[in-house]
Amino acid sequence: MDEDVQQLFNALQASFSNTDDQTRKQADAYLQNFKQLDNCLQVLTQIIRSPDVPEAVKQSGCILFKNHVRSGWRVREQSSIPVSANDKVAIRGSILETIQVVSKPLVRTNLLLALRAIISCDYIIEGPNRDDKPVDGEFKSVLSAIASYMANTNGDVVNTGLLCLYQLIAVTHIGMRFDSHFPEIVGLTFPILLHIGGALISMEEEQPMDMLRIVFKTFYNGIKDITGTYMKQNLVHWGQLLLAMISKAPPASLKSTGVSPDESIEISQHPFWKAKKWAYRAVERLFNLFGSASKPTPPTQPQNDGTVDPARLMASYQEKVRKYEHQVVQWQESQQFVQEFLPNIVHVYLTQMNLFANGQFMSERVQECMASFLADCVRFKVAWGQYKQHLQTMIVKYIFPTLCYTEADVELWEDDSLEYIHTKYDYQETSRSPSNAVGYLLMEIVHRRFKTTFTSVLEFVFGILDRYNAAPPDQKDVRMKDGALAMLGELAEEIADNRSPISKEIEARILIPHVLPDLNSPHKILRARACDTLKKFADIQGFQFSNSQILQATFLTIQERMRDPELPVCIAASTCMEVMVLFDDARPLVQASINQIMQTVLELTNKIEMTVLTDIMKLLVENFAGEIAPFAVEFANQLSQSYIRMMREVDASAGDADVYEKVDAATEVLKALITLLYGLTADGTTHLTEETKVLFLNVETAVMPAIQYTLEEQKDDAYECIFEILELFTFTLKAVTPNSRAMLPLVIRAAREGNYDTDFSDIFPTLDNYLAYGKEIFLEDQTGSFIPAYIEIIKEVCIRPPPEQPLMEHKLNAVSLMESMLLNLRGAIDQYVETFIKIGLQMLSEDYNTREDGSYSPTIVRYMEVVINALYYNAALTLQILVNMNAAQQFFEAWLKHLNMFVRVHDKKLSIVALVEILGLSPDTLPPLVQSIWNDLFKGCIFLFQSYPSAVRERALLKAQEDEDDDDDEYGSSLFINGGGVPSAPDGDEDGDLDGPNDDFRQLLAGFDDDDDDDFEEELTTEDLYSESVLDSIDAFERFRQLWQHFHGIPVVLDLAHKVAESDPQIATGIESVIASNEQQFVLEGQQQAQQQAHAKTQQKHQA
């Protein structure tokens, strides 16, 4: 062992062994410095591959290897140490062999993650920007090496090839990203993958089963959205292999009947069941890709109202036609798949279902996959024909027992009630549970095949319930009652459907005899189940209790159950209370006990972290803000302290698997705080009474510890919520309080040290509000650090080293921040005006390109407004800077050319006041270029005024309508039929094909063009009804009148203006109109129009 290797060995050993802190720190320091060596990874490879090195040292070395590759192969942070070019070349050529050599799973896993990082950096992220080696040839080499490993005759080598292929597939096709290398990967490796699967399928040993797991998992990820030539040619072969795995009996070594809960956990981890799970998932993905397309609706011929360019309209229509023709082909292929392949798939699944129903073990994940697929196929005639032959078994021996509580449920409740709650009420857990999937299957069967199934299923359920009620207390089967209530809950919407013969008898036939009594059952599981079932019926739109006495008794019982000695019952009752509080007749009950209910929920939040509890708090605040106000400070303080406690618990459990769930739960508490803040304002966010203002200030004091903790500890997972809270305080109070003022240095640090790609959009509104409502902080800053810090933030967002580019959203936020500084700090930032102008012109030049239809992106208006704001800030200074930069002529040409693109009130007013500033300068101080275009500038000002009144009027109208709509949610949606919560399914052939699960929604959206770019552009040109600006207090007409009066003192200028007016009658008329107008008159006209429309709307509703 040479010296470098020996020193590394000693440091790795010391880093995890029970040595003193000083020795461990020295070892860590050595390892940090070691990464700077030119051959760092090569030395680590020697350690990892050496047969003489203890496994613990290898494991430590492999973790260091992986971390260095991840952080240094492509450096993203300044603190990272880059991997040397020498190491890169060596590791690219040896890592597959190193993975093959190591035997321990943990060591191999870390090496595989390192391989994934290398592939991602070399071939996916950097692509052609890599300068150390040609990419394409090297990629083919890597791909060929993996394929050769897969084609080897040695099983261990083949296994290595499979593991490496999965990393390649995962990194080139993760999420929805598609890489250009992907078809090449599939074409070369998938035929080998299919051959390997065929060779392994008859084996029973653990290693072949684990290799099959990798085969199916790789296939599953590799066909995510590929329906190309390879899959169409090999669909039958892959389908046969997958169904062979699904049909495969468990190995003789695995227990398959009479499995206890403890045995179930161990058996489910066997590679056989994992391979089977991935086979099920792959079949479902094949079905989603090839068999689930809906019949498309042809696009309608567009009608032009004269406001859209005909060429652009026709191009859009032709694109829709192309999409439609492609969808038709997909639908035809889908029909073929359903007819030719689905019957055999369903036969295999039903066979497995019968085996499970008759006692054969099946892992929970496989159960979930099987039930979900069976549910998705209910709508197909070829599947339903087979279902009917097994319907009795499916309902009685499969669905019903799966919905009943199990022995494992009882044990978990007793041993760990918190974990039990998560498995039953946490969406991430329930979404993968067999009971959830089977409930979906039951709902699909009854909903889609109502005439055939509804009556018989309900008779089965009521039979169980009647026998339970008739049995003596010591002979009542609690498990059977639980399953029956679970089935009723799953079928709640079908029972309330117009087709149901008992839709009007839910209370009398179900709730009073079977559900409400169990709210006080001696059996804790039935108390929880009764809460769950009641919630599902009470949540149906249109459901009402028959009288207030039943509602009151039920409400009080649910409130009592929220304090049940059993925590799972408390949670079930809390979720039910979330629905109960929304009944009109329950409002007085809630008002009388709002403090107790909120305190109960807060106490539960301290016992368990669940989003369902914060959802209830948010609901209560939204609907009972007035009743909560007296307790707002107390609640805010409790929520703040709960959040801090939960985040500290996150720190203490940093390595736990559920750490992200804990973070989510903590941020949900902040969201409850946000809802509380919104609820405290009189009309959403503005117009505080003096009493509410004092309350808001006290709430701010209560919440500030949570804000300070988050910013000081840099808990960026909570930044979105924390900055929304800060934004709310400053915007609502229209001031920066001392509490918020103290947070500004921490806010600036978060903006400068955070992740710009994710955090800046969250932080920007808060940064802006500090300027808008606390400009004196910047003007009186003794340290002189705040303004320079804002400048650096703007530069860091907008100016990125190639090839990095700032996100469009962040660029526009930075533009808004520059505008806010120029508007709010007039006269205080002269030295930064040139910086702003350079940034604005640079962004303008990058985006100033015509599109195919000859139009320009509305983003150019926002970029031009950087310079326009500078002109309003200080016209003389800005003109001189533009002249010095040789940019004046180009800018003014662009501005005047695109005045018609300034459509919002703010855009028009900003240009008007900036032009007024220029026109008001003494002629002899104007640069020659500006003197030569003075007439054009004056015309441009009048041009903007011509459309300004209608823009002001329209904005006032929209704002008034928005306020009216906020109070107009009582009439419901026409999508619901006859007041019921469930639209009736279409009548027709009960045994034929029915609409897919999303067909109604697809038809609803037919004709809409899903174009994110259009949405983005519309956002840039739509009035922001809630934005506030220094310009709001300026009357543009009054500014022009002052300018006109100023002209009368300068004969030369007045003469110029008169000549312009004489040359164009419209200009002359425009001048007269501007001088005679004021802004408020147009605001009032818009408000009056809104009132008239609202009155007409009310009349129509009364008539209806």
Side-chain angles (χ1 to χ4, degrees):
M1 191 178 291
D2 62 36
E3 185 176 352
D4 282 345
V5 176
Q6 184 62 56
Q7 287 181 342
L8 176 60
F9 175 88
N10 294 337
L12 290 170
Q13 193 168 43
S15 67
F16 65 84
S17 59
N18 295 322
T19 56
D20 59 89
D21 288 343
Q22 183 62 31
T23 304
R24 191 177 296 111
K25 287 179 181 179
Q26 289 175 351
D28 290 341
Y30 173 84
L31 294 175
Q32 186 67 16
N33 291 329
F34 176 78
K35 290 192 288 187
Q36 298 181 22
L37 293 181
D38 187 56
N39 63 341
C40 162
L41 294 179
Q42 296 171 67
V43 177
L44 275 170
T45 300
Q46 292 182 50
I47 292 281
I48 294 166
R49 296 180 63 164
S50 173
D52 302 324
V53 173
E55 288 300 326
V57 176
K58 285 185 179 183
Q59 183 175 320
S60 180
C62 202
I63 292 172
L64 180 63
F65 184 99
K66 175 199 68 178
N67 291 342
H68 187 34
V69 168
R70 279 181 161 181
S71 64
W73 203 273
R74 180 175 184 265
V75 176
R76 296 175 178 83
E77 299 178 3
Q78 292 182 351
S79 59
S80 299
I81 299 172
V83 175
S84 70
N86 177 33
D87 257 350
K88 285 185 177 182
V89 172
I91 297 306
R92 287 187 190 115
S94 66
I95 190 167
L96 264 65
E97 185 179 346
T98 303
I99 293 170
Q100 161 61 28
V101 169
V102 300
S103 57
K104 295 295 181 182
L106 192 55
V107 176
R108 176 173 283 185
T109 297
N110 280 290
L111 286 172
L112 288 167
L113 292 174
L115 173 64
R116 180 187 292 204
I118 292 170
I119 294 170
S120 177
C121 292
D122 278 356
Y123 312 120
I124 308 304
I125 296 175
E126 291 187 8
N129 293 315
R130 263 192 56 209
D131 55 9
D132 52 342
K133 289 192 77 173
V135 174
D136 289 340
E138 186 180 297
F139 178 80
K140 286 182 170 60
S141 175
V142 171
L143 183 58
S144 297
I146 292 174
S148 67
Y149 271 61
M150 292 171 62
N152 200 287
T153 55
N154 183 296
D156 290 336
V157 178
V158 173
N159 191 41
T160 299
L162 290 174
L163 291 168
C164 294
L165 175 64
Y166 175 71
Q167 299 304 319
L168 189 62
I169 290 289
V171 81
T172 53
H173 203 227
I174 195 166
M176 290 303 293
R177 182 174 65 192
F178 180 79
D179 183 72
S180 58
H181 294 299
F182 200 76
E184 185 179 359
I185 298 171
V186 170
L188 181 61
T189 62
F190 271 44
I192 307 174
L193 196 67
L194 179 62
H195 175 76
I196 293 171
L200 296 172
I201 193 67
S202 60
M203 302 181 186
E204 293 194 351
E205 295 81 2
E206 279 199 34
Q207 185 180 17
M209 288 298 100
D210 193 54
M211 292 170 70
L212 266 179
R213 172 187 67 84
I214 304 167
V215 168
F216 295 136
K217 186 177 181 180
T218 302
F219 177 75
Y220 170 85
N221 283 278
I223 59 167
K224 195 155 194 175
D225 55 11
I226 302 299
T227 55
T229 304
Y230 172 79
M231 276 313 307
K232 290 176 182 178
Q233 291 177 346
N234 293 274
L235 185 60
V236 173
H237 302 302
W238 274 106
Q240 290 171 342
L241 178 62
L242 293 167
L243 292 181
M245 183 67 225
I246 290 172
S247 302
K248 187 176 175 66
S253 59
L254 283 181
K255 190 175 181 180
S256 59
T257 57
V259 176
S260 70
D262 289 339
E263 291 172 328
S264 170
I265 295 173
E266 182 179 351
I267 293 173
S268 296
Q269 296 303 310
H270 192 280
F272 169 82
W273 285 109
K274 291 186 176 182
K276 184 164 279 203
K277 175 196 75 175
W278 284 108
Y280 271 100
R281 294 190 69 185
V283 168
E284 185 170 12
R285 178 153 288 176
L286 282 176
F287 170 73
N288 289 334
L289 290 172
F290 291 97
S292 63
S294 299
K295 188 173 183 179
T297 303
T300 56
Q301 190 77 27
Q303 301 295 321
N304 195 346
D305 59 3
T307 62
V308 183
D309 177 56
R312 187 178 185 186
L313 193 67
M314 182 53 64
S316 174
Y317 173 69
Q318 290 173 347
E319 178 60 27
K320 290 178 182 178
V321 170
R322 284 193 292 271
K323 288 181 180 178
Y324 168 72
E325 292 171 348
H326 177 67
Q327 290 168 350
V328 167
V329 173
Q330 286 186 317
W331 176 71
Q332 291 170 343
E333 292 175 347
S334 174
Q335 294 295 100
Q336 182 181 1
F337 180 94
V338 168
Q339 297 302 320
E340 295 181 5
F341 295 101
L342 191 59
N344 190 37
I345 297 173
V346 169
H347 173 74
V348 171
Y349 274 59
L350 290 174
T351 301
Q352 295 301 304
M353 183 271 293
N354 277 293
L355 290 171
F356 176 70
N358 286 289
Q360 186 177 92
F361 173 80
M362 184 179 286
S363 74
E364 288 194 352
R365 288 292 281 121
V366 168
Q367 292 179 50
E368 182 266 324
C369 291
M370 180 177 70
S372 295
F373 185 83
L374 288 172
D376 288 339
C377 295
V378 171
R379 61 190 172 105
F380 293 105
K381 179 179 178 179
V382 294
W384 182 242
Q386 296 187 60
Y387 281 30
K388 289 196 295 184
Q389 302 172 29
H390 300 268
L391 201 55
Q392 180 74 10
T393 298
M394 187 178 289
I395 299 296
V396 177
K397 298 182 69 176
Y398 174 47
I399 292 177
F400 173 70
T402 305
L403 289 174
C404 296
Y405 72 80
T406 65
E407 182 184 341
D409 290 332
V410 175
E411 289 184 9
L412 187 59
W413 186 317
E414 295 293 341
D415 297 341
D416 190 346
S417 61
L418 296 179
E419 183 60 27
Y420 175 87
I421 292 168
H422 282 296
T423 61
K424 298 299 181 182
Y425 297 97
D426 188 311
Y427 173 76
Q428 290 182 331
E429 297 289 338
T430 58
S431 63
R432 292 184 171 185
S433 71
S435 59
N436 189 66
V438 162
Y440 171 52
L441 171 60
L442 175 64
M443 183 181 67
E444 284 290 291
I445 288 173
V446 175
H447 178 69
R448 295 187 179 280
R449 309 294 174 176
F450 191 90
K451 293 178 182 178
T452 308
T453 62
F454 180 78
T455 301
S456 59
V457 170
L458 222 58
E459 286 175 352
F460 168 72
V461 174
F462 279 132
I464 295 172
L465 294 174
D466 291 341
R467 287 192 295 274
Y468 180 88
N469 287 343
D474 60 339
Q475 295 179 26
K476 291 182 185 293
D477 192 328
V478 175
R479 184 171 180 271
M480 296 282 282
K481 174 71 180 285
D482 174 71
L485 290 182
M487 288 186 74
L488 285 176
E490 296 296 341
L491 296 176
E493 292 187 346
E494 304 309 317
I495 293 171
D497 188 275
N498 294 329
R499 300 172 295 174
S500 166
I502 63 168
S503 61
K504 308 300 182 185
E505 306 171 36
I506 291 173
E507 187 180 81
R509 294 283 303 274
I510 295 174
L511 297 184
I512 291 177
H514 303 301
V515 179
L516 299 184
D518 278 334
L519 293 175
N520 292 307
S521 170
H523 305 289
K524 58 190 178 186
I525 281 187
L526 286 185
R527 294 201 299 275
R529 179 66 77 184
C531 291
D532 294 338
T533 306
L534 173 60
K535 180 198 173 186
K536 290 186 176 179
F537 281 101
D539 202 23
I540 296 172
Q541 184 161 335
F543 173 82
Q544 292 291 334
F545 287 90
S546 61
N547 61 68
S548 59
Q549 288 80 14
I550 295 176
L551 172 61
Q552 181 175 358
T554 304
F555 180 91
L556 293 175
T557 305
I558 292 297
Q559 190 176 351
E560 185 180 342
R561 291 283 69 79
M562 289 177 69
R563 292 185 172 276
D564 196 278
E566 296 289 339
L567 189 57
V569 178
C570 297
I571 300 301
S574 297
T575 63
C576 187
M577 181 61 80
E578 188 178 5
V579 176
M580 294 296 296
V581 298
L582 297 180
F583 284 96
D584 290 338
D585 290 343
R587 191 168 188 89
L589 300 171
V590 182
Q591 290 170 331
S593 55
I594 188 69
N595 188 27
Q596 295 93 321
I597 295 173
M598 282 289 286
Q599 288 294 346
T600 301
V601 176
L602 285 166
E603 289 171 12
L604 290 173
T605 303
N606 288 328
K607 294 178 182 178
I608 185 168
E609 299 155 4
M610 293 200 70
T611 57
V612 66
L613 294 173
T614 49
D615 287 343
I616 298 167
M617 285 189 279
K618 288 188 286 187
L619 182 74
L620 290 170
V621 170
E622 287 170 357
N623 291 276
F624 301 93
E627 291 79 6
I628 284 176
F631 315 103
V633 177
E634 180 183 358
F635 291 154
N637 182 64
Q638 289 177 304
L639 289 169
S640 177
Q641 294 304 315
S642 293
Y643 162 74
I644 294 172
R645 173 187 57 78
M646 293 162 74
M647 290 301 284
R648 284 176 175 156
E649 289 176 1
V650 168
D651 290 339
S653 57
D656 293 356
D658 62 346
V659 66
Y660 294 110
E661 295 175 19
K662 292 181 178 180
V663 171
D664 288 342
T667 54
E668 286 297 322
V669 172
L670 291 180
K671 290 177 183 177
L673 258 175
I674 291 169
T675 306
L676 177 63
L677 295 176
Y678 278 118
L680 292 177
T681 56
D683 64 349
T685 55
T686 58
H687 309 309
L688 293 184
T689 64
E690 191 60 33
E691 181 182 358
T692 308
K693 182 177 180 181
V694 172
L695 178 61
F696 226 79
L697 289 168
N698 291 331
V699 169
E700 184 196 53
T701 300
V703 173
M704 203 51 63
I707 296 174
Q708 184 171 351
Y709 167 80
T710 303
L711 296 177
E712 285 183 345
E713 300 298 323
Q714 296 181 290
K715 303 296 184 183
D716 54 2
D717 289 318
Y719 275 2
E720 180 179 357
C721 292
I722 285 296
F723 286 115
E724 185 172 356
I725 292 171
L726 266 175
E727 179 192 358
L728 265 171
F729 283 135
T730 51
F731 182 70
T732 306
L733 294 167
K734 307 302 181 198
V736 177
T737 66
N739 282 326
S740 294
R741 160 68 179 81
M743 295 299 106
L744 180 55
L746 294 173
V747 172
I748 289 173
R749 185 182 74 168
R752 297 204 61 186
E753 297 182 5
N755 184 336
Y756 282 111
D757 290 342
T758 56
D759 296 337
F760 185 66
S761 293
D762 299 330
I763 302 175
F764 157 70
T766 302
L767 291 169
D768 189 31
N769 280 3
Y770 274 107
L771 286 165
Y773 306 115
K775 65 181 180 181
E776 66 281 351
I777 297 172
F778 298 84
L779 298 175
E780 299 169 5
D781 177 23
Q782 297 295 319
T783 66
S785 61
F786 293 153
I787 291 176
Y790 266 54
I791 300 299
E792 289 304 312
I793 291 169
I794 291 167
K795 288 164 67 175
E796 287 164 7
V797 170
C798 297
I799 304 172
R800 298 287 190 90
E804 294 187 34
Q805 289 294 327
L807 297 176
M808 176 66 70
E809 178 186 7
H810 298 339
K811 288 167 66 175
L812 295 175
N813 285 337
V815 165
S816 296
L817 201 56
M818 286 187 278
E819 175 174 288
S820 191
M821 293 187 76
L822 290 164
L823 289 176
N824 289 287
L825 304 177
R826 293 189 79 189
I829 54 172
D830 288 8
Q831 65 270 42
Y832 300 114
V833 172
E834 184 172 354
T835 298
F836 288 166
I837 292 172
K838 286 181 177 178
I839 292 174
L841 291 177
Q842 176 62 33
M843 291 191 290
L844 179 61
S845 67
E846 291 170 354
D847 211 31
Y848 195 74
N849 298 301
T850 57
R851 297 179 292 195
E852 290 183 4
D853 61 357
S855 65
Y856 290 82
S857 168
T859 55
I860 68 170
V861 171
R862 303 295 301 278
Y863 301 147
M864 281 192 282
E865 285 182 342
V866 176
V867 183
I868 298 169
N869 269 290
L871 287 163
Y872 175 61
Y873 170 89
N874 188 325
L877 173 63
T878 300
L879 289 173
Q880 190 58 53
I881 292 171
L882 288 171
V883 170
N884 293 342
M885 292 174 60
N886 293 321
Q889 181 173 345
Q890 285 181 307
F891 172 75
F892 281 110
E893 286 178 356
W895 185 14
L896 296 173
K897 176 182 177 182
H898 297 293
L899 283 178
N900 63 323
M901 294 181 67
F902 290 71
V903 294
R904 301 182 306 167
V905 170
H906 177 82
D907 300 330
K908 293 178 184 293
K909 181 182 282 190
L910 177 62
S911 282
I912 287 171
V913 295
L915 286 167
V916 166
E917 290 292 321
I918 299 171
L919 296 169
L921 292 174
S922 176
D924 57 352
T925 65
L926 292 175
L929 170 67
V930 180
Q931 292 180 22
S932 68
I933 61 170
W934 193 95
N935 291 2
D936 295 326
L937 297 175
F938 186 69
K939 288 179 181 179
C941 186
I942 302 303
F943 172 82
L944 288 166
F945 267 120
Q946 289 172 344
S947 58
Y948 186 65
S950 60
V952 173
R953 193 183 299 113
E954 181 67 19
R955 188 180 193 278
L957 170 64
L958 291 172
K959 181 67 172 72
Q961 288 174 334
E962 182 87 1
D963 294 339
E964 174 71 21
D965 289 342
D966 287 342
D967 301 321
D968 195 30
D969 296 329
E970 59 188 299
Y971 294 95
S973 169
S974 61
L975 292 177
F976 293 99
I977 299 175
N978 298 329
V982 184
S984 295
D987 292 329
D989 182 5
E990 269 278 313
D991 295 326
D993 286 340
L994 302 176
D995 287 339
N998 297 312
D999 284 359
D1000 291 338
F1001 186 63
R1002 289 193 187 99
Q1003 290 168 14
L1004 184 66
L1005 294 180
F1008 287 87
D1009 190 7
D1010 183 17
D1011 193 329
D1012 292 338
D1013 290 336
D1014 286 349
D1015 293 342
F1016 172 71
E1017 294 190 2
E1018 183 179 355
E1019 188 176 319
L1020 288 177
T1021 56
T1022 301
E1023 290 287 354
D1024 183 350
L1025 301 179
Y1026 295 101
S1027 68
E1028 295 182 354
S1029 166
V1030 173
L1031 297 182
D1032 294 344
S1033 60
I1034 295 174
D1035 187 325
F1037 298 95
E1038 178 60 29
R1039 282 295 174 94
F1040 186 83
R1041 279 193 292 274
Q1042 293 171 1
L1043 175 67
W1044 192 251
Q1045 190 65 35
H1046 175 67
F1047 284 174
H1048 282 74
I1050 312 175
V1052 176
V1053 177
L1054 184 63
D1055 185 54
L1056 278 174
H1058 281 308
K1059 287 181 178 179
V1060 173
E1062 291 168 1
S1063 67
D1064 188 338
Q1066 288 188 343
I1067 297 293
T1069 304
I1071 293 172
E1072 293 174 4
S1073 175
V1074 173
I1075 292 174
S1077 301
N1078 69 79
E1079 195 155 327
Q1080 190 60 28
Q1081 76 185 72
F1082 302 113
V1083 173
L1084 291 174
E1085 288 175 9
Q1087 292 172 345
Q1088 289 167 0
Q1089 186 178 348
Q1091 290 171 358
Q1092 293 168 0
Q1093 292 179 359
H1095 178 71
K1097 189 176 179 182
T1098 303
Q1099 294 281 47
Q1100 291 174 357
K1101 286 174 180 175
H1102 285 319
Q1103 291 172 3

